Amino acid sequence: MTAQRSPGERTASVHQLKVALVGMKPPVWRRLVVPSDITLGSLHDVIQVTFGWEGMHLHAFEDRSGGRYAPPEDLDAPVFDEEKAALADVLPRTGDRMDYTYDFGDDWLHRITVEAVRPAGPGESESALCTGGRRAMPAAEDLGGVWGLAGLLERYADGERSNPMLVRHGGEEWVEYDGLHDEVLAGLYEEGFDPAAFDPAELAGELAQVPLRRAVGTGRKKCGGPGGRQAPPGTYRCECGGLHPLPGGAGPLAEDDGPDDEVSLSEVLEAVGLRLPAVRLPGEAELARAVREVPAFMAAVRLGHWCGDSRELTPKEVLRPKLARQAVEEAELWRVDPDEWGDAEERAGRLAKVRSAADMEPLALPWDWALNCGFVEVENNRAYAGDELPDQDDDMALLAAWQEAVAGAAVELSLAFPALDELLSGLQQLRELTEEAPPLVFLMLITAYGLPEGEWLDAADFLTDGIQGLPEGPARRLVSALLIDQYHDTTGTLELFGAAEREGHEPLPADAVLALLHEGPDGGTRGTPFVGRFRLTALGRSGLRALLVAAGVPAPVIGSLAQADASVLLAALPSYLSETDAAAEVTGWLAARPAADAAVQVVDACDGTEPADALRRLQAPRVLAAVLEADRTGRAKAVLRKAAVSQVTGCSHAAASMLRRIGEPAEGEEAWGLEWMLVDGALPFAGAGEQALRERLLVGPEEGRRPLDQLADRADDLWRAGHPHADEVLGALAEAVKPVDKALAKRLRKAAFKVGSAT
C-alpha cells in the first residue's frame, strides 16, 4: 500500500549497544542507546564523540559475515555504503555483533554488541544517550593503538613525568616535548586524569549535540544483501557471532540445494518437522532475579570483578596459591557448593593444605566459566577483567551475559558430536555413521523448548526413536553411546546454568561408552539406565530463545507483541498452539494503537509475493476482523476500501478479500482478485509435498466450503490471476488433488499450461 504514514504511526525502537575498545586492560567500554533507524555513518559519528576521536583517519565497520561498511570513496576494497545501511538491518537482534575500526595504522578496534532492542522510551528517539561505561578514555589520537595507550597509562600510573623543553624564539616562548606521548602525558597531570573514573552524564551531554541521520526503508533488507546475515552453505550464524555447522549437515536439505544456496536454521527445523510454538516467559526483571540465583555463573562474574585491573598468575597461567585462597574468600566462590565449603573455619583449614590453585576445588568451576564467558582474560601471566564482564549491579546486563553464555554452551555441546578417539576414527563405517547420525541432543532441546510449562521430556525414548534409521550392529551401539554421553554433557551443563532440571539420571561411570557397546539380554543397547528425563526452566527457555532469535528462527513469546510491527505479529500467529492465546495477542496488539492505524499497518504488512509474504496474508483476516470490530469511527473500513483499489500487489488483494468477507466488496477492485488469493493461499504449502498440500485442501470449517471446493469453482480462471508463482502453485495443486479428483487435476494442469503460454 502506498498511503503516507505519519511519523507516529510506527513505534520507534532503540538499540542498546555495548561498545568496547578491544585489547584494553582493564577494559574500556561504553553503553549507548541509539535510535534503531540511524545509519552506520551516523553511528560512526556517535562512536567518535564517545571515545574522544577527532575524525582524522579512515574507518570501517565489519559484520560477522565479512561485510564491510564505510564511505565508498575512502576504501579501495568493495564496501557497502555506510549511509545506506541502517543499524537495525545490520544488527537486527539482541546478541548481534560487529566491529568498528578507526585509523588503519593504529587499528583502534571497537567491538559493538547489541544488548537489547526495545521500544523507545521518553527522550530516546531523538539523540544518542550514554547510560553506562567503564574507565576513562584520554585523548589517544595517533598514540600507536592500544599498546601505545597502555604504555602511556602505565607511565602515568608509575608517576613518571614528562621533561618539557622551554623554547624561545623571536621574543616568544613556548614548551615543547620530545614527542606526542610526552605531551599527552603532561596533559593528563594537568587535568588531574583519573583512569578509573567515568561519568555517563557528561558524555550524554556531548552526544546530545551530535545530529543523527536516519536510514530509509529500515527493516526491509533481505538476507544476503547489505546488512544481511548470509551464512555459507551447511552453516548458520548464531548469537555468538560465529558460524556453526547445521545440525546433521543440513539433513534432507543437502540433497536438493545447490552449492550456492543458503540454508538457515529455520529450514533445518522445518526439514525435521519441528515448529516452534509461542511460549510464555516471565518478564526480564524476574529472569534477571533467577540469574542471580545461579551459583556457578554468579561466582564467575564475581571472579571477573575480583581480577579487576590485574592479578598475578604462575607460568602455568593459574593463580598463585595465596591469591587463589583470597579469591575463594573475597569473591565468595565457595557459594558454588555451600554444603561442602560453607563452614568458614573448616574451609580455611582445607584451603591452607592445598599447594596449587589448579587443585583448589571451589576455584575450579568459576575459573573455567569466567574464562569461557570472557569475564576473565589472561595475558602475560596476568588475569584481567574481560571485555564481556557484566556490571554486577545491572540486572539487564547480567541477564544478557547469562543468555549469551548459555546459548554458546548449548550450541557447542548439543551440535558438536563427540569426537572419536584416534583408533576408532580410522574405521570408515564409524565415520559414515557419525556423519549420518541425527542431531538428537539439539533436537531434544528444541522439543523441550516447546513443551507445555512443567512437562518433562523422556530422553531415553527420544534417543531410541532417533537412531532407528541407523543399521544394527556394534557401530550403531557406539553412536548411541556417544549420543548419550553428549546428552549428559549438555543437560548437566545446562543444569549448572540453572537452565534445565533433570530426574532419574545416574552418574556415568568412566567406562560407560565401552559398556554401551555390548548388547543387553534383549539384544538392545545397554545405556538407557543412564538416561532419565529433563525439562527447561523458564530461564533456560529464555536462553535458548535468544539463540533461536539470533539465528533467524521465529520464536514468539506470548504477550510480547503489543508494540511489534504488524508484519511481526502476522508472521508469529501460526506458531500459537492455543487459539485463545492467539486471540489475546491480537487484542493486546490492537489495544496499543488506534483502529485506523492498525488497519494501515496490517495492510502494509501484506506486501510481497514470496511464500513468507503469503503466509502473513493468510493471518491478515483474523487481525482485520478484530480491527473492524474495534473500529467505532468507520476509518478502518475506509482504509480497506482505499487499499483495495490501490493496485499494490498483496496489499490490495488482502484488503479486497476482507471487504468481500464482510459482504461489502469494493467497487473497482481487481477483476481476478479472488483467483489471485486462491493461488496465494496455496503458495506457502506448495513446496511441502503432495500429501501435506492435499490435507490442507481437504480441511475446512465445520460450516462452510473447503479450499478444494473453492478451487473447483474457479480452476478454469486461476491462470488469469497474474500471480507471479501461479505456474508452480497450479502444478503442485494438480499433483496434490489427482488421487481425489482426477478431473480437477486435469483442469489445474490446463490452467498451469495457460500461465506458461501467457508469459
Side-chain angles (χ1 to χ4, degrees):
M1 185 177 178
T2 57
Q4 293 297 311
R5 193 197 311 269
S6 67
E9 286 183 333
R10 183 178 295 275
T11 302
S13 70
V14 293
H15 272 51
Q16 178 177 303
L17 307 175
K18 179 179 179 181
V19 186
L21 194 56
V22 177
M24 288 298 296
K25 307 294 183 183
V28 175
W29 58 269
R30 305 289 183 258
R31 178 167 291 118
L32 304 174
V33 176
V34 298
S36 301
D37 61 352
I38 65 170
T39 67
L40 289 187
S42 191
L43 181 60
H44 154 73
D45 296 342
V46 170
I47 295 175
Q48 287 280 302
V49 172
T50 297
F51 288 88
W53 303 124
E54 299 175 13
M56 299 166 57
H57 302 283
L58 301 179
H59 69 276
F61 294 88
E62 184 170 348
D63 63 27
R64 291 306 191 199
S65 59
R68 303 190 76 200
Y69 305 79
E73 65 274 11
D74 285 352
L75 301 179
D76 294 332
V79 294
F80 298 122
D81 187 345
E82 64 180 24
E83 288 301 332
K84 295 181 179 179
L87 173 63
D89 290 329
V90 182
L91 301 178
R93 307 177 185 92
T94 299
D96 284 349
R97 298 182 184 178
M98 75 183 315
D99 291 336
Y100 167 82
T101 302
Y102 173 63
D103 186 349
F104 298 132
D106 284 358
D107 286 328
W108 297 98
L109 179 61
H110 308 67
R111 179 81 21 87
I112 304 169
T113 303
V114 181
E115 293 186 326
V117 181
R118 54 178 174 78
E124 290 183 333
S125 61
E126 299 304 320
S127 62
L129 302 174
C130 177
T131 61
R134 187 177 182 199
R135 310 283 297 183
M137 183 69 184
E141 199 85 46
D142 294 326
L143 286 184
V146 291
W147 305 112
L149 178 56
L152 179 72
L153 293 176
E154 186 174 343
R155 292 173 62 190
Y156 183 67
D158 292 341
E160 181 181 334
R161 298 273 181 168
S162 305
N163 294 314
M165 178 174 60
L166 184 63
V167 178
R168 294 185 176 88
H169 180 74
E172 297 182 2
E173 62 180 32
W174 62 91
V175 172
E176 288 187 354
Y177 294 89
D178 287 341
L180 179 60
H181 284 72
D182 281 357
E183 183 178 345
V184 174
L185 182 61
L188 297 183
Y189 285 106
E190 185 176 338
E191 68 181 72
F193 178 74
D194 180 0
F198 172 66
D199 183 4
E202 182 179 345
L203 177 56
E206 298 178 38
L207 291 175
Q209 307 304 313
V210 179
L212 300 181
R213 298 181 296 283
R214 311 302 175 110
V216 177
T218 307
R220 306 293 290 184
K221 302 289 186 189
K222 298 296 183 183
C223 189
R229 304 290 293 169
Q230 189 170 15
T235 67
Y236 76 93
R237 188 174 303 283
C238 89
E239 62 88 36
C240 73
L243 291 172
H244 300 282
L246 286 166
L253 294 173
E255 299 176 2
D256 300 324
D257 291 344
D260 297 326
D261 290 338
E262 177 187 351
V263 183
S264 69
L265 185 56
S266 57
E267 290 175 309
V268 173
L269 295 180
E270 184 175 348
V272 295
L274 282 177
R275 294 283 184 149
L276 296 181
V279 299
R280 295 188 184 278
L281 284 178
E284 288 188 334
E286 184 176 341
L287 290 172
R289 286 194 294 271
V291 169
R292 292 188 179 277
E293 298 300 319
V294 181
F297 178 80
M298 291 307 300
V301 172
R302 292 194 299 272
L303 183 57
H305 285 283
W306 180 83
C307 286
D309 291 349
S310 75
R311 299 285 183 174
E312 186 178 3
L313 302 178
T314 69
K316 294 184 178 181
E317 294 192 337
V318 297
L319 288 168
R320 297 190 178 279
K322 181 179 179 180
L323 282 176
R325 297 185 189 99
Q326 289 180 13
V328 171
E329 295 294 343
E330 295 172 5
E332 298 183 342
L333 305 184
W334 55 269
R335 292 188 180 278
V336 171
D337 191 357
D339 293 339
E340 180 73 17
W341 294 92
D343 185 279
E345 185 175 345
E346 181 182 345
R347 181 171 66 249
R350 292 174 64 181
L351 292 178
K353 298 176 183 179
V354 180
R355 303 267 66 90
S356 169
D359 301 322
M360 208 163 289
E361 188 177 329
L363 174 65
L365 184 61
W367 182 258
D368 286 344
W369 277 32
L371 289 174
N372 289 336
C373 295
F375 301 163
V376 169
E377 295 181 3
V378 173
E379 187 176 317
N380 298 326
N381 290 336
R382 300 195 74 85
Y384 301 87
D387 291 341
E388 306 301 325
L389 180 64
D391 185 342
Q392 292 185 87
D393 299 323
D394 188 333
D395 282 353
M396 294 305 101
L398 281 175
L399 176 59
W402 181 92
Q403 289 177 331
E404 181 169 350
V406 78
V411 167
E412 181 177 354
L413 292 168
S414 66
L415 287 181
F417 197 82
L420 299 170
D421 63 32
E422 186 173 347
L423 175 63
L424 295 176
S425 65
L427 300 176
Q428 178 66 21
Q429 184 184 8
L430 286 182
R431 287 204 309 272
E432 292 175 355
L433 280 178
T434 54
E435 291 172 0
E436 295 174 6
L440 287 180
V441 176
F442 175 78
L443 295 178
M444 287 171 65
L445 295 181
I446 298 298
T447 303
Y449 173 87
L451 291 177
E453 194 73 27
E455 192 169 313
W456 296 84
L457 180 74
D458 191 315
D461 290 347
F462 199 105
L463 287 168
T464 301
D465 294 342
I467 62 171
Q468 288 302 317
L470 300 183
E472 294 287 350
R476 170 180 164 168
R477 291 196 294 274
L478 177 59
V479 171
S480 175
L482 293 172
L483 283 168
I484 291 172
D485 191 36
Q486 181 187 28
Y487 162 77
H488 279 282
D489 283 347
T490 303
T491 56
T493 299
L494 294 181
E495 190 173 41
L496 283 173
F497 265 108
E501 298 172 339
R502 300 191 294 173
E503 276 191 357
H505 292 73
E506 299 178 16
L508 281 172
D511 60 349
V513 172
L514 292 177
L516 291 169
L517 289 176
H518 301 286
E519 291 185 359
D522 58 353
T525 302
R526 290 178 181 173
T528 50
F530 302 131
V531 183
R533 61 180 191 165
F534 85 102
R535 63 186 178 192
L536 294 176
T537 64
L539 188 58
R541 190 171 280 108
S542 79
L544 187 53
R545 180 180 180 273
L547 165 65
L548 294 167
V549 170
V553 179
V557 174
I558 296 171
S560 67
L561 300 180
Q563 300 299 329
D565 285 347
S567 59
V568 176
L569 175 71
L570 296 178
L573 286 177
S575 69
Y576 284 68
L577 300 182
S578 163
E579 184 62 34
T580 301
D581 287 337
E585 193 73 74
V586 172
T587 300
W589 183 83
L590 186 55
R593 51 191 49 79
D597 292 357
V600 171
Q601 292 180 30
V602 173
V603 173
D604 277 357
C606 292
D607 189 14
T609 59
E610 298 306 308
D613 306 319
L615 202 58
R616 289 197 307 274
R617 279 189 291 275
L618 284 175
Q619 299 300 318
R622 70 193 305 179
V623 181
L624 288 174
V627 170
L628 293 176
E629 184 178 351
D631 184 26
R632 297 292 179 266
T633 65
R635 292 179 59 200
K637 195 177 293 184
V639 168
L640 295 183
R641 291 196 183 100
K642 182 177 180 181
V645 296
S646 66
Q647 296 186 343
V648 177
T649 301
C651 299
S652 61
H653 296 89
S657 175
M658 191 65 213
L659 290 172
R660 284 195 298 271
R661 284 172 181 260
I662 64 174
E664 300 181 23
E667 295 183 7
E669 65 175 272
E670 176 64 40
W672 304 104
L674 182 55
E675 286 76 9
W676 195 96
M677 290 297 291
L678 286 172
V679 173
D680 195 61
L683 175 59
F685 312 99
E690 293 179 19
Q691 181 65 29
L693 182 55
R694 182 161 53 249
E695 291 175 357
R696 174 85 184 173
L697 295 173
L698 292 173
V699 175
E702 294 182 4
E703 296 182 3
R705 312 188 69 214
R706 302 173 302 173
L708 183 66
D709 301 325
Q710 298 177 51
L711 280 176
D713 283 348
R714 299 181 179 270
D716 301 325
D717 290 321
L718 292 177
W719 68 277
R720 302 177 187 273
H723 196 292
H725 294 278
D727 191 2
E728 62 189 83
V729 171
L730 292 176
L733 286 170
E735 294 302 317
V737 304
K738 185 177 180 180
V740 295
D741 191 333
K742 292 183 179 179
L744 176 57
K746 184 176 181 179
R747 293 167 62 198
L748 290 169
R749 281 196 297 271
K750 186 176 181 180
F753 175 78
K754 287 184 177 181
V755 171
S757 300
T759 56

